[in-house]
Amino acid sequence: MKLWGGRFTKEEDTLMKVFNSSLEEDLALVEEDLDGSIAHAEMLVHCHIISQEEGEKIVQGLHKIKQDIATGNLVVEGDHEDIHSFVEATLTEMIGEAGKKLHTSRSRNDQVATDLKLYTKKRAKETINKLQLLIHSLEKTAVANQHVIMPGYTHLQRAQVVTFGYHLRAYIEMFRRDTKRLEQTVANLNESPLGSGALAGTTHDIDREITAEKLGFSKPTANFMDGVSDRDFIIELLSDLSIIMMHVSRLSEELILWSSQEFSFIKIDDAYATGSSIMPQKKNPDAAELIRGKTGKVYGALVSVLTTMKGLPLAYNKDMQEVKSPMFQAVDEALLSIKMMDKMVATVQVNGEQMKQAIKAGFLNATEVADYLVQKGVPFRDAHGVVGAIVLYGEKVGKSIEQLTLEELQQFSDSIEQDIFAYVDYTNLLKRGNKKEMLD
């Protein structure tokens, strides 16, 4: 059953049918399409456009279709152009002529826009929920390791002492920002395009406020043409997901580095690693590596949709059908990656002793020696030069700063006294100034 064709004199080419069909990818929208159709039918009854009896038949039939699909008694398949054609054909076969009245006062253009907004809102909220679980796991692991000291890095060079818990909390802040972006995306898209028709509304006296309220939108869209052609909300979601994937990819990279034998800061649980088919000693951090790889696919989806939309005149164009598949794939990949990261973070084993050894080999209290000299009245720029010379000397003799004797240190500045050793102790230095925040 086609929803068009009255003005055509020739059958659609077989290849064109395949080329034009979106039924397979529309499976993701079946629930949204049925919900939108139920709200539309109830509005048609309220506005006396179809009879109460017809409306009840339609709504009951749509509920039956939803139930049958959920239980597996009905499979979405067949020679249908899209999910909208499938639903209407199945409904008409089920309840008869009343099914043909469902499409009164709407177009597939406003219908698919509504479906996509409902889908985007649902998956954005699902992503928020998964991020909250990841944040909880990060916080739990951070608390368990809030006093485990480790090197903090810049340029991938050991820089200053931090705690493992504080390092993880940096990612908590990233994911909190991600959550806010998703919430803003939901707020931006929360207007119903249903009732916009193909692009210019309908001559039927419908009530768009009713369908907007029934579907959980805050209000109807203000402009029909924008309502059917807007896909900004998809681009916003994909932008949000791309930033999220960038964040989980950064964390993945650190887990990969930290779990290597060169670092040995952590162990990734065996459940989220794999082995080698030829090297029996290998334990590969494949879950983290796959997250890094999937990040590119999500970025690709964003670029794909932006490219599809960039040259389209108002209002609806068939090109827009091509934005669905990359979005569906990106959402699935992002959610899977967030869930996988949650599991890895919750089960990671921390090697605090190895982290401490890395600190001692890296002159990570050099900045604090400069701070010490400043407190003794030495200008910071001069203190910086003094400490640089101390580090060079330490490298030459194979000693860390705290291993040097007072006499050795005083070669570089008369301002250095015995209290330097307590000042640059790695545990003590985290208790001073705003560094105390790292231990909270």
Side-chain angles (χ1 to χ4, degrees):
M1 174 183 172
K2 287 188 177 64
L3 302 183
W4 54 271
R7 57 92 63 217
F8 285 79
T9 59
K10 184 186 288 187
E11 278 293 315
E12 191 178 13
D13 182 83
T14 302
L15 179 59
M16 179 59 182
K17 287 181 181 179
V18 175
F19 193 62
N20 188 45
S21 175
S22 64
L23 182 63
E24 186 174 344
E25 64 192 45
D26 284 350
L27 286 171
L29 297 175
V30 63
E31 184 176 340
E32 287 72 25
D33 198 73
L34 288 162
D35 288 342
S37 294
I38 290 168
H40 182 70
E42 290 174 342
M43 181 276 294
L44 292 177
V45 173
H46 179 86
C47 295
H48 306 292
I49 295 171
I50 62 175
S51 69
Q52 182 77 33
E53 182 182 357
E54 289 169 332
E56 288 177 357
K57 275 188 176 183
I58 290 171
V59 170
Q60 288 172 6
L62 291 169
H63 279 298
K64 181 68 164 58
I65 292 171
K66 181 187 281 193
Q67 181 183 2
D68 287 349
I69 291 174
T71 58
N73 292 329
L74 177 63
V75 178
V76 181
E77 60 184 6
D79 188 21
H80 301 281
E81 192 172 338
D82 48 37
I83 192 63
H84 323 301
S85 305
F86 171 83
V87 168
E88 186 168 326
T90 304
L91 177 68
T92 302
E93 184 178 351
M94 181 183 295
I95 69 170
E97 289 296 303
K100 296 179 180 180
K101 295 192 175 186
L102 172 61
H103 206 58
T104 308
S105 304
R106 74 174 180 181
S107 162
R108 282 186 298 177
N109 295 358
D110 60 341
Q111 189 177 355
V112 71
T114 303
D115 291 357
L116 287 170
K117 279 196 169 185
L118 290 171
Y119 174 89
T120 300
K121 186 195 294 190
K122 178 175 73 176
R123 300 311 292 269
K125 289 181 176 180
E126 185 180 353
T127 306
I128 290 171
N129 291 337
K130 298 305 178 188
L131 283 175
Q132 293 303 315
L133 293 175
L134 175 54
I135 288 170
H136 176 75
S137 292
L138 282 165
E139 183 61 35
K140 189 174 179 180
T141 304
V143 168
N145 296 278
Q146 66 185 41
H147 296 295
V148 175
I149 58 175
M150 68 174 291
Y153 293 82
T154 63
H155 308 278
L156 204 56
Q157 305 295 314
R158 295 169 190 164
Q160 288 184 278
V161 177
V162 297
T163 68
F164 188 71
Y166 195 75
H167 194 125
L168 289 186
R169 288 194 174 101
Y171 287 99
I172 290 176
E173 294 306 310
M174 297 181 204
F175 295 129
R176 283 175 176 162
R177 291 195 299 273
D178 293 330
T179 299
K180 289 179 183 178
R181 273 186 284 268
L182 287 165
E183 289 170 345
Q184 186 60 51
T185 293
V186 171
N188 286 343
L189 68 80
N190 207 24
E191 298 179 358
S192 173
L194 197 56
S196 297
L199 78 160
T202 175
T203 55
H204 292 285
D205 192 13
I206 63 173
D207 190 335
R208 297 182 66 210
E209 296 283 350
I210 290 176
T211 48
E213 182 179 353
K214 285 181 178 294
L215 293 172
F217 291 108
S218 60
K219 61 181 179 180
T221 51
N223 183 282
F224 298 143
M225 297 179 75
D226 180 58
V228 299
S229 63
D230 169 32
R231 296 297 182 269
D232 291 359
F233 56 95
I234 292 177
I235 295 169
E236 283 191 60
L237 177 63
L238 291 175
S239 298
D240 297 343
L241 295 179
S242 293
I243 296 173
I244 291 168
M245 290 300 293
M246 181 263 290
H247 289 154
V248 292
S249 184
R250 292 183 73 180
L251 181 51
S252 292
E253 174 67 9
E254 298 212 284
L255 293 178
I256 292 163
L257 286 172
W258 292 341
S259 65
S260 68
Q261 290 179 328
E262 284 69 24
F263 280 76
S264 296
F265 287 178
I266 65 165
K267 288 184 179 179
I268 292 175
D269 193 272
D270 285 358
Y272 311 109
T274 67
S276 166
S277 62
I278 189 172
M279 296 170 283
Q281 82 281 10
K282 292 290 294 300
K283 178 179 176 181
N284 302 324
D286 282 7
E289 291 176 358
L290 283 168
I291 289 172
R292 281 190 318 194
K294 290 178 183 296
T295 299
K297 293 168 74 173
V298 177
Y299 290 0
L302 172 60
V303 174
S304 172
V305 174
L306 283 168
T307 305
T308 298
M309 294 298 298
K310 73 176 181 63
L312 300 186
L314 292 176
Y316 182 82
N317 297 271
K318 193 70 170 183
D319 314 47
M320 294 181 188
Q321 179 170 294
E322 297 305 306
V323 309
K324 292 185 288 187
S325 183
M327 178 183 67
F328 297 153
Q329 184 181 33
V331 169
D332 289 343
E333 298 285 19
L335 282 168
L336 184 60
S337 297
I338 295 168
K339 288 188 281 188
M340 185 58 65
M341 181 57 72
D342 180 21
K343 289 179 177 292
M344 283 194 291
V345 167
T347 56
V348 70
Q349 300 172 51
V350 178
N351 187 346
E353 187 57 37
Q354 185 66 24
M355 291 180 181
K356 188 181 294 184
Q357 292 304 316
I359 288 171
K360 291 182 177 180
F363 299 99
L364 269 67
N365 48 9
T367 302
E368 282 66 40
V369 176
D371 291 342
Y372 169 87
L373 289 171
V374 167
Q375 292 186 21
K376 296 290 185 176
V378 179
F380 177 78
R381 188 52 54 208
D382 293 340
H384 189 282
V386 168
V387 178
I390 291 173
V391 169
L392 281 173
Y393 176 79
E395 288 179 337
K396 181 179 179 180
V397 299
K399 292 182 180 180
S400 62
I401 292 174
E402 66 273 13
Q403 290 174 329
L404 297 173
T405 66
L406 180 60
E407 290 74 20
E408 286 176 303
L409 291 169
Q410 287 177 336
Q411 296 177 70
F412 302 96
S413 175
D414 294 336
S415 298
I416 297 176
E417 299 175 348
Q418 186 64 39
D419 60 351
I420 182 69
F421 297 105
Y423 194 92
V424 299
D425 177 81
Y426 290 111
T427 302
N428 289 341
L429 66 84
L430 289 177
K431 298 176 181 177
R432 295 193 194 94
N434 67 2
K435 287 179 178 291
K436 294 191 292 288
E437 295 177 15
M438 283 192 272
L439 299 174
D440 293 340

